Amino acid sequence: VTIAPGVEMPLLNFGVSNRSLFIELGGRGLDTAWVYGDLDQAETGEAVRNSSLQRSELFVTTKIPCCPSSFITCNKSMGHEYADKHIQ
């Protein structure tokens, strides 16, 4: 699905407990949230780093509270420079 010019998002995005297996089975859309806790975001980041795919082949969605510093905290928790979609 095109969500912006040049930005494609998988139709299915899951916040599953075994993200590495999800990626192995062909999943490309990962969902996490700051409110789920740092451990959830860290596991998402680890699954992305440990996959054989390029970061650009995966789509990471995260949900954050309204303060701008949450963007930085969220990305640090995942160990990524960016998330593909932030939902406030």
Side-chain angles (χ1 to χ4, degrees), residues 6-73:
V7 180
E8 296 291 323
M9 182 180 78
L11 282 175
L12 298 174
N13 291 269
F14 287 105
V16 296
S17 58
N18 191 335
R19 290 162 183 84
S20 295
L21 179 60
F22 177 69
I23 292 169
E24 265 184 57
L25 295 174
R28 297 297 180 260
L30 299 169
D31 181 79
T32 187
W34 185 82
V35 296
Y36 299 164
D38 285 344
L39 182 58
D40 185 70
Q41 290 194 317
E43 288 172 356
T44 299
E46 184 178 340
V48 170
R49 284 188 301 280
N50 291 338
S51 79
S52 61
L53 301 173
Q54 297 289 322
R55 169 62 184 88
S56 60
E57 296 178 74
L58 298 167
F59 193 94
V60 178
T61 299
T62 188
K63 293 159 288 297
I64 59 170
C66 62
C67 52
S69 64
S70 298
F71 287 100
I72 295 167
T73 302

